[in-house]
Amino acid sequence: LPVYFGTVVKDQETSDRFLWDVRRFVADEVAYSYVGGLRDASMAKGKRTWLECYGHWGFPGEFLQYGGQSNEIAGEYWSEGTLGDVENRLASSCGHIYGKTKIWAESNTCAGNPYGRSPVDMKKRTDLFFSQGINNTLLHLYVMQPDERVPGFNAWFGNEFNRHNTWFKQLDLYVDYLKRCNFMLQQGLNVADVAYFIGEDAPKMMGAVDPALPAGRQFDFINAEVLRETTSVNENGELTLPHGTTYKVLVLPKLETMRPELLAKIKQLVADGAYVLGPKPLRSPSLQNQPQADADVKKMADELWGDVDGKSLKSRKFGKGTIAWGLTLEEVFAELKCAPDCEIPAGTPLVYNRRTAVDGDIYFLANQSDKELKNVEIAFRVAGKTPEIWFPATGETAGVVAREKDGRAIATLNFAPQESVFVVFRENKTQAVENKAIELKEIAALNGSWTVSFDSGEIARGPKAPVVFDKLIDWTQSDDAAIKYYSGTAVYKTTCELPKVAEGERVYLSLGAVSEMAKVKINGEYVGGVWTAPYRLDITKFAREGKNDVEVEVVNCWVNRLIGDAGLPEAERKTWCPVNSYNAKSPLKRSGLIGPVTVSTTAR
């Protein structure tokens, strides 16, 4: 008790070691008794535990060990800001080292701008965390509201995935995208080259990426429990976990302490062929079994590191493996003759992730910019397999030409703004076509008039009769308040004449710009929907030579109606939500089908 209150007992070192043991004890109990106990009690009742394993604000445990005892593991991210920038990597690392197939995330949480976002505003951050290992989406949030007030009950936190939201009936377009990504990213095993050991200290809320990870590689954090209890070395000298996950390098943190039991295991891993990079430990952090523990650490460390001091000598062989200190990871991989897993040109705003399955290798690539990326040459650490490109936004697939060089497949890819794709390498020999930026040949421009029907109900307050737009405009630029402040669904109709299309050519309808989402019918048949760039649909099966009827159902956000109502006397306002930061002078949000709308063909 005196030590808890800052009084040194015996000496500073003894008191510090005592506190280290207490903190480690608390972390172990939080993991095994609290989380593990709750898990066991839950499973006895047919339930499963689910937790977000990252630690903030006084967390007393160790994030990996804590999460490892739960049935389900999760991270969290917000649509804007930085929350999620570390949390999801912690969750995915936990899932990878403990062999969990699904790694959840509380997804698309946010604050401010109520009812002001649609799925396109959520895509960039969603893709970023898919690239970090998240593969099971929990949308945040849906508030249960039994009555019909609109837009309805909301919270200060979370996007409004509620049934009264304007775009709720087109939410399937986004959900289908999430389902495809989740499914693909749950296949096989995660591929990462580096395991960063987080150390044994507690509480531990995150790990350190030091030295820096080179571009084109992935990593996980790993803890003492997994290293000590379940890690071995395979015939390739890789750290291997029971479920099959492997790492090429183990990186130790810049700490002077390590308990002898763990050091003995690391020494054995190196002897068996592992490559370990990090400083030599000097002593045990614990009061347990002293002074013998310190003596054991010194003896084993001297045997393993030898003359490696991180300066004059930076690596040496020990048994079948290598111990190193003071090298960069670039130098380590050069020594291992291990190329980057996914080499992307420097400065290109792409993120990636890789899964490897029995029947193929799956790379996820996502453009994190709002600009188109053309002719990006990417080298994949895969050889002898045929690549295909899969588009999760539409479900379409195509072949892609790749050449092999030095055991890697090199392909040139193109990305629309914020577009994401899967590049799948399989043994089958799919007919490949080069994935050039789609060179569309325009055959019709729908720049004539459109008849637009709005909801004229007392809440939506759209025009009572269909309106003819001589040209496509942003609704907020209209002089008609019923259009300017409109929120909801509008149906655009027009016709176009199409020429005969050569056999083998595909026909595409491009909507240009859309705010926020749209579903399309051609000649009365549903074609599909768009919610993100390139806002283009393949209409080959639906288009015909001659006259074609085109119908585009567009939804925007609630923002403009809330702003319009804010300028009315309270008795005349028809909208309601408890969290509403808008006033009559708030900026309106671009809405409608902006275009240009064109029909084009391309050979495929």
Side-chain angles (χ1 to χ4, degrees):
L1 289 177
V3 174
Y4 285 149
F5 286 90
T7 299
V8 172
V9 175
K10 188 176 180 182
D11 55 53
Q12 174 102 26
E13 183 177 293
T14 300
S15 297
D16 286 346
R17 290 178 189 265
F18 168 76
L19 289 174
W20 191 96
D21 286 336
V22 171
R23 293 173 183 133
R24 186 68 257 177
F25 170 77
V26 170
D28 292 346
E29 285 298 297
V30 166
Y32 301 131
S33 296
Y34 171 51
V35 180
L38 180 60
R39 175 201 62 217
D40 293 344
S42 299
M43 293 182 71
K45 298 293 185 180
K47 309 296 182 184
R48 293 171 64 81
T49 56
W50 187 100
L51 65 79
E52 299 172 11
C53 73
Y54 59 87
H56 287 315
W57 309 301
F59 174 67
E62 178 211 290
F63 70 97
L64 292 175
Q65 179 193 38
Y66 167 76
Q69 313 313 310
S70 177
N71 297 118
E72 304 290 341
I73 191 66
E76 171 187 358
Y77 67 92
W78 288 41
S79 294
E80 303 97 10
T82 59
L83 208 159
D85 288 1
V86 297
E87 291 80 359
N88 295 297
R89 179 70 71 174
L90 309 188
S92 64
S93 293
C94 179
H96 296 157
I97 65 175
Y98 282 95
K100 301 179 187 296
T101 299
K102 294 181 179 179
I103 302 166
W104 297 76
E106 173 195 316
S107 304
N108 305 135
T109 314
C110 63
N113 195 22
Y115 285 101
R117 301 173 188 82
S118 71
V120 71
D121 302 309
M122 309 170 198
K123 187 176 189 297
K124 186 184 295 185
R125 299 272 290 170
T126 295
D127 288 347
L128 174 63
F129 300 121
F130 282 158
S131 79
Q132 294 183 7
I134 296 301
N135 64 15
N136 220 37
T137 303
L138 179 70
L139 295 176
H140 191 278
L141 47 74
Y142 186 114
V143 178
M144 159 67 172
Q145 180 187 322
D147 64 56
E148 300 306 311
R149 289 174 295 174
V150 296
F153 201 95
N154 63 341
W156 68 264
F157 53 91
N159 276 302
E160 297 89 357
F161 295 98
N162 305 345
R163 67 187 178 95
H164 289 316
N165 206 330
T166 46
W167 41 259
F168 184 77
K169 66 179 180 178
Q170 293 196 12
L171 183 60
D172 59 305
L173 301 177
Y174 181 49
V175 171
D176 283 348
Y177 172 78
L178 297 176
K179 286 179 178 180
R180 293 183 186 112
C181 290
N182 286 176
F183 176 82
M184 295 292 285
L185 293 170
Q186 289 174 19
Q187 303 307 302
L189 296 170
N190 182 68
V191 176
D193 288 343
V194 180
Y196 287 100
F197 175 45
I198 66 171
E200 299 177 281
D201 298 347
K204 183 70 68 172
M205 292 182 261
M206 67 174 296
V209 182
D210 185 16
L213 185 78
R217 300 183 190 274
Q218 284 284 6
F219 76 93
D220 282 326
F221 295 116
I222 196 167
N223 64 353
E225 179 183 52
V226 170
L227 280 175
R228 190 178 59 246
E229 304 295 335
T230 63
T231 304
S232 60
V233 180
N234 66 16
E235 65 277 8
N236 298 319
E238 298 168 321
L239 295 169
T240 304
L241 301 177
H243 48 277
T245 291
T246 62
Y247 304 97
K248 298 184 184 300
V249 180
L250 172 65
V251 176
L252 305 180
K254 291 178 179 177
L255 298 173
E256 295 182 348
T257 61
M258 186 179 294
R259 287 187 286 187
E261 298 82 4
L262 178 61
L263 181 53
K265 179 59 181 284
I266 290 175
K267 179 183 174 185
Q268 186 61 55
L269 291 172
V270 177
D272 291 343
Y275 196 114
V276 175
L277 171 67
K280 175 183 178 179
L282 304 179
R283 61 187 179 278
S284 171
S286 172
L287 194 59
Q288 185 178 18
N289 196 28
Q290 291 293 357
Q292 188 60 48
D294 280 0
D296 290 343
V297 169
K298 184 178 186 309
K299 180 176 182 294
M300 286 186 286
D302 287 343
E303 292 171 348
L304 179 54
W305 271 263
D307 294 330
V308 174
D309 60 4
K311 297 176 182 178
S312 58
L313 182 63
K314 295 187 177 182
S315 69
R316 78 171 187 133
K317 298 295 292 184
F318 181 86
K320 297 179 181 178
T322 300
I323 186 74
W325 180 9
L327 296 175
T328 66
L329 281 169
E330 287 88 348
E331 292 171 322
V332 169
F333 287 117
E335 184 179 330
L336 291 172
K337 296 181 173 57
C338 176
D341 183 32
C342 184
E343 189 168 8
I344 299 166
T348 305
L350 288 174
V351 292
Y352 96 97
N353 193 9
R354 179 186 177 186
R355 307 282 298 187
T356 183
V358 174
D359 58 348
D361 293 88
I362 301 166
Y363 285 85
F364 173 78
L365 292 154
N367 180 4
Q368 289 285 284
S369 78
D370 296 322
K371 297 181 179 179
E372 185 178 11
L373 303 178
K374 292 187 177 182
N375 301 319
V376 182
E377 187 173 271
I378 302 173
F380 302 90
R381 200 169 63 204
V382 177
K385 296 181 180 180
T386 301
E388 301 169 315
I389 188 165
W390 296 16
F391 300 92
T394 63
E396 296 176 298
T397 65
V400 57
V401 167
R403 57 186 172 86
E404 289 195 8
K405 182 180 180 182
D406 299 329
R408 294 192 294 173
I410 301 173
T412 300
L413 302 179
N414 300 277
F415 299 84
Q418 291 194 34
E419 185 176 27
S420 53
V421 301
F422 288 93
V423 180
V424 181
F425 291 84
R426 296 195 292 178
E427 299 291 352
N428 64 309
K429 301 301 180 183
T430 304
Q431 178 65 40
V433 295
E434 191 170 359
N435 177 42
K436 295 179 179 177
I438 295 180
E439 297 178 4
L440 298 174
K441 180 177 64 176
E442 186 177 305
I443 59 173
L446 283 66
N447 49 18
S449 62
W450 294 75
T451 300
V452 186
S453 300
F454 295 86
D455 180 0
S456 60
E458 66 172 354
I459 294 173
R461 291 175 169 168
K464 295 186 180 300
V467 178
V468 176
F469 284 7
D470 292 329
K471 64 177 182 178
L472 295 173
I473 62 167
D474 170 3
W475 298 343
T476 67
Q477 303 304 306
S478 175
D479 294 329
D480 185 345
I483 298 175
K484 181 175 184 176
Y485 297 113
Y486 182 79
S487 291
T489 302
V491 179
Y492 289 68
K493 293 183 179 180
T494 192
T495 61
C496 70
E497 292 283 336
L498 296 181
K500 184 176 181 180
V501 175
E503 186 175 351
E505 286 193 318
R506 312 298 297 180
V507 183
Y508 292 94
L509 176 70
S510 298
L511 296 184
V514 180
S515 291
E516 297 292 322
M517 308 172 75
K519 290 187 172 182
V520 175
K521 290 182 180 179
I522 301 293
N523 298 318
E525 295 188 71
Y526 177 62
V527 173
V530 294
W531 61 279
T532 184
Y535 297 102
R536 182 173 59 230
L537 291 168
D538 186 335
I539 62 170
T540 307
K541 293 190 299 183
F542 307 93
R544 60 196 181 204
E545 182 181 0
K547 180 182 175 182
N548 288 261
D549 296 321
V550 180
E551 180 179 311
V552 184
E553 179 189 86
V554 177
V555 292
N556 68 338
C557 292
W558 270 113
V559 173
N560 297 343
R561 180 73 270 153
L562 291 169
I563 293 171
D565 275 14
L568 299 174
E570 189 170 349
E572 297 180 25
R573 299 173 189 171
K574 300 298 183 181
T575 53
W576 171 87
C577 60
V579 179
N580 183 357
S581 56
Y582 303 115
N583 59 54
K585 295 183 179 180
S586 296
L588 298 174
K589 186 176 176 65
R590 186 179 76 162
S591 298
L593 176 59
I594 314 299
V597 181
T598 60
V599 179
S600 304
T601 61
T602 183
R604 182 169 173 181

